[in-house]
């Protein structure tokens, strides 16, 4: 599908892979700043560029946000000062281009009816069009993130109250959004009509609620999982308890299947499917269609470990460790330059020579994006004396960029977009290379009952990309 001009890189960048968290303390027994801190800490894998927490005690909103990891942005003293009845938080992913503290979230604004804070995971494909139209009306933007378009729309459309403004905003924006929002009295969770990005609801005690991108954050703060927020649903939590408003949804949901492949944490449940189980099942299905003879199955740590275990179990080839990981290095994509990215791989992973020497290795990874990681690792394993390296990937070939919230590079940079499997094998230098089929990947998440976006694999996006030009603003 052709990408509309001025779409992908409008502003400094469009991609937003993030984690959101919210907590409403109904019983006055929680330290909401602390809960948000631990919630965000457990969502750190969803974003390492910046972090922020906003709190309210019913009068005004205070916030702390900055570039850096959660424990770098907040120290003990800062956390202790973040008291109140409601808190929301955000971690933002590092992609490429300008990374600026001004783009850190939650965004906080004062509008006609009081104060508002907003944290967003996802990507609005028509943000540039809406933003330009809003600017024609005189709007001034302080950041380059699409989230500010949401904030601006809500403020402008709020003459009939906040709920009405949210409805109108949802009619105007196109793309993916899992939002947590806070006024001085309410915690609000919103999931886009396709449910592209996850958002779950949890409870602490009888009446205190939490919202989070992934259920692993509930375990971190001692909350119990209640349910996922439905696609197109708005949940409002305030002194009257929890209320749900369901926006009309015209088609099947489209949860991002890449959450299961790579992005989410293994101990999370998303829309009824356990991430660990899905990854392990992917490895088993990979092995079911394979007949390679090998001495050991290894994983590219950490995200491919469940798939490698599944592969080993199904194939009968013993599982072992072939790569040591420096646990203090973040995700390799952080470095924007290719040269740095390659050094990054070497800093992050190293071969365990004693384990791999003289062996025929099946190396399982969850995905090949640019191919930088795979090529380097295959090389490392060979240098360490591996006799054969057979690469197995527990997802299909990533052929298309994501416009809905996962950071994938442009089509030209995707190894799989313009190469056959054999050409990819040659590039990464493996003895053989196989991918999981899309059919098999979707089987691993079948239990959820929802639909999936597999756009990065097959180009079938939840909505036509021409929607990026949609600019229908209900401004009176
Ligand atoms: P590459 O070297 O570009 O092929 O990167 C593939 C590796 O990066 C795999 O080991 C994945 O675990 C990981 N990966 C996949 N998608 C992403 C993403 N969107 N952001 C960061 N890392 C990713």
């Amino acid at each position: 599908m052709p990408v509309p001009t001025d779409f992908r890189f409008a502003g400094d960048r469009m991609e937003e892979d993030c984690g959101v968290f919210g907590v409403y303390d109904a019983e006055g027994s929680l330290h909401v700043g602390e809960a948000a801190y631990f919630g965000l800490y457990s969502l750190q894998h969803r974003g390492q560029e910046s972090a922020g927490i906003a709190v309210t005690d019913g009068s005004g909103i205070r916030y702390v946000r900055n570039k850096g990891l959660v424990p770098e942005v907040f120290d003990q003293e800062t956390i202790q000062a973040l008291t109140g009845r409601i808190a929301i938080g955000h971690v933002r992913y590092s992609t490429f281009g300008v990374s600026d503290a001004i783009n850190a979230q939650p965004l906080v604004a004062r509008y006609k009816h009081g104060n508002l804070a907003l944290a967003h995971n996802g990507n609005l494909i028509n943000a540039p069009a809406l933003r330009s139209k809003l600017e024609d009306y005189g709007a001034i933007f302080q950041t380059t993130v699409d989230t500010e378009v949401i904030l601006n729309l809500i403020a402008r459309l709020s003459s009939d109250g906040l709920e009405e403004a949210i409805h109108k905003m949802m009619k105007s924006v196109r793309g993916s959004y899992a939002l947590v929002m806070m006024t001085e009295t309410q915690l609000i969770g919103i999931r886009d009509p396709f449910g592209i990005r996850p958002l779950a609801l949890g409870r602490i005690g009888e009446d205190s609620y939490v919202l989070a991108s992934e259920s692993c954050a509930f375990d971190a703060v001692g909350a119990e999982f209640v349910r996922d927020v439905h696609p197109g649903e708005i949940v409002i939590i305030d002194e009257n308890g929890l209320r749900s408003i369901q926006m009309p949804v015209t088609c099947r949901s489209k949860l991002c299947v890449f959450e299961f492949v790579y992005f989410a944490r293994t101990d999370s449940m998303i829309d009824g499917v356990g991430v660990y189980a899905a990854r392990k099942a992917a490895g088993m299905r990979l092995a079911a269609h394979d007949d390679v003879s090998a001495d050991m199955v290894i994983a590219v740590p950490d995200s491919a470990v469940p798939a490698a275990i599944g592969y080993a179990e199904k194939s009968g080839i013993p599982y072992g460790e072939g790569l040591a990981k420096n646990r203090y290095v973040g995700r390799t994509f952080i470095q924007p330059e290719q040269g740095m990215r390659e050094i990054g791989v070497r800093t992050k992973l190293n071969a365990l020579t004693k384990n791999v020497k003289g062996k025929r290795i099946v190396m399982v990874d969850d995905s090949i994006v640019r191919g930088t990681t795979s090529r380097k690792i295959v090389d490392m394993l060979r240098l360490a004396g591996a006799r054969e390296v057979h690469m197995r990937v527990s997802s299909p070939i990533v052929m298309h960029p994501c416009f809905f919230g996962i950071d994938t590079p442009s089509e030209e940079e995707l190894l799989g977009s313009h190469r056959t499997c054999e050409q990819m094998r040659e590039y990464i230098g493996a003895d053989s290379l196989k991918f999981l089929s899309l059919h098999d990947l979707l089987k691993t998440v079948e239990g959820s009952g929802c639909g999936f976006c597999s756009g990065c694999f097959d180009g079938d996006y939840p909505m036509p990309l021409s929607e990026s030009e949609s600019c229908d603003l209900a401004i009176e």
Side-chain angles (χ1 to χ4, degrees):
M1 201 175 313
V3 178
T5 52
D6 204 22
F7 162 38
R8 193 168 155 73
F9 299 116
D12 72 334
R13 64 189 192 188
M14 300 266 309
E15 293 75 21
E16 290 294 315
D17 311 292
C18 305
V20 294
F21 185 85
V23 52
Y24 184 96
D25 175 22
E27 288 146 22
S29 55
L30 296 172
H31 190 297
V32 292
E34 212 167 74
Y37 174 78
F38 287 114
L40 288 185
Y41 216 142
S42 66
L43 297 172
Q44 185 78 81
H45 60 285
R46 298 186 71 86
Q48 296 112 41
E49 179 191 291
S50 65
I53 295 174
V55 294
T56 182
D57 54 9
S59 126
I61 290 180
R62 289 169 294 131
Y63 62 92
V64 174
R65 55 177 199 218
N66 212 337
K67 280 171 72 170
L69 298 170
V70 175
E72 291 167 351
V73 172
F74 304 97
D75 60 20
Q76 183 90 20
E77 211 179 312
T78 325
I79 294 293
Q80 288 314 315
L82 289 171
T83 52
R85 288 306 277 264
I86 316 174
I88 65 167
H90 188 265
V91 284
R92 178 181 155 121
Y93 205 85
S94 175
T95 49
F96 58 88
V98 182
S99 84
D100 209 327
I102 194 118
N103 286 339
Q105 298 190 31
L107 298 184
V108 180
R110 191 169 177 79
Y111 79 127
K112 194 176 170 189
H113 304 288
N115 288 293
L116 209 58
L118 185 63
H120 172 207
N121 172 212
N123 186 44
L124 304 185
I125 64 168
N126 67 338
L130 288 174
R131 186 179 168 120
S132 161
K133 185 104 168 249
L134 285 164
E135 282 170 338
D136 289 343
Y137 284 103
I140 294 166
F141 286 88
Q142 313 215 0
T143 74
T144 55
V145 295
D146 54 355
T147 314
E148 201 179 354
V149 171
I150 299 179
L151 199 61
N152 213 293
L153 281 175
I154 290 176
R156 269 165 198 267
L157 301 169
S158 66
S159 52
D160 296 325
L162 183 60
E163 276 175 40
E164 197 53 36
I166 294 172
H167 289 178
K168 289 182 182 161
M169 176 278 291
M170 289 173 83
K171 284 185 190 144
S172 295
V173 301
R174 302 283 184 280
S176 63
Y177 48 96
L179 296 169
V180 290
M181 196 158 95
M182 182 178 90
T183 67
E184 282 141 312
T185 55
Q186 294 179 315
L187 171 68
I188 302 171
I190 308 168
R191 199 166 169 199
D192 73 69
F194 290 99
I196 300 172
R197 302 260 73 92
L199 187 64
L201 175 72
R203 187 169 45 217
I204 303 176
E206 284 298 304
D207 303 306
S208 294
Y209 286 96
V210 281
L211 291 163
S213 294
E214 288 180 42
S215 63
C216 64
F218 298 158
D219 302 330
V221 301
E224 61 169 318
F225 173 84
V226 175
R227 63 173 175 85
D228 293 280
V229 174
H230 304 305
E233 188 187 16
I234 306 163
V235 291
I236 301 174
I237 300 147
D238 58 19
E239 59 179 7
N240 301 314
L242 183 140
R243 199 154 46 90
S244 156
I245 302 164
Q246 181 63 55
M247 292 289 278
V249 174
T250 47
C251 49
R252 198 143 189 256
S253 61
K254 292 277 183 185
L255 172 65
C256 165
V257 77
F258 210 78
E259 289 277 350
F260 294 95
V261 170
Y262 169 76
F263 209 53
R265 224 169 78 164
T266 41
D267 53 339
S268 287
M269 289 279 295
I270 302 177
D271 284 348
V273 176
V275 175
Y276 184 92
R279 288 189 187 156
K280 186 172 175 198
M284 294 182 94
R285 285 184 172 267
L286 201 48
H289 301 293
D290 208 357
D291 55 2
V292 71
S293 303
D295 306 306
M296 182 161 81
V297 179
I298 67 165
V300 179
D302 298 315
S303 45
V305 170
I309 290 173
Y311 186 104
E313 211 171 290
K314 184 78 184 170
S315 65
I317 305 168
Y319 173 79
E321 289 196 39
L323 293 162
K325 185 181 169 191
N326 179 339
R327 69 182 66 170
Y328 301 102
V329 179
R331 296 187 168 190
T332 351
F333 269 50
I334 292 170
Q335 294 87 7
E337 311 268 322
Q338 184 67 12
M340 283 300 289
R341 199 175 282 119
E342 296 202 9
I343 294 169
V345 176
R346 269 185 272 140
T347 314
K348 185 168 155 181
L349 296 166
N350 201 7
L352 285 163
T353 308
K354 279 228 159 78
N355 291 10
V356 301
K357 198 168 182 175
K359 296 209 175 103
R360 296 166 304 163
I361 303 289
V362 172
M363 175 185 97
V364 180
D365 202 356
D366 57 82
S367 54
I368 293 184
V369 182
R370 290 180 169 90
T372 320
T373 314
S374 326
R375 190 180 156 117
K376 275 270 154 246
I377 301 173
V378 171
D379 198 37
M380 271 177 208
L381 291 171
R382 288 206 194 282
L383 281 173
R387 192 143 58 90
E388 290 172 18
V389 183
H390 301 275
M391 181 160 183
R392 296 296 179 264
V393 185
S394 55
S395 67
I397 301 179
V398 176
M399 289 188 178
H400 307 275
C402 175
F403 301 104
F404 298 95
I406 295 274
D407 171 38
T408 46
S410 63
E411 197 142 318
E412 308 81 68
E413 290 172 277
L414 291 171
L415 190 71
S417 72
H418 53 284
R419 283 183 174 84
T420 60
C421 186
E422 173 53 20
Q423 287 168 330
M424 291 175 82
R425 183 203 63 73
E426 222 170 274
Y427 177 85
I428 63 172
D431 291 283
S432 71
L433 171 65
K434 277 188 184 166
F435 291 84
L436 188 71
S437 70
L438 183 56
H439 170 85
D440 272 340
L441 177 64
L442 293 175
K443 285 272 174 209
T444 66
V445 289
E446 209 170 46
S448 79
C450 70
F452 288 92
C453 172
S454 50
C456 55
F457 302 122
D458 60 3
D460 186 9
Y461 297 112
M463 62 200 79
L465 296 180
S466 56
E467 293 272 311
S468 64
E469 267 133 50
S470 164
C471 191
D472 112 47
L473 269 191
I475 295 181
E476 299 80 40

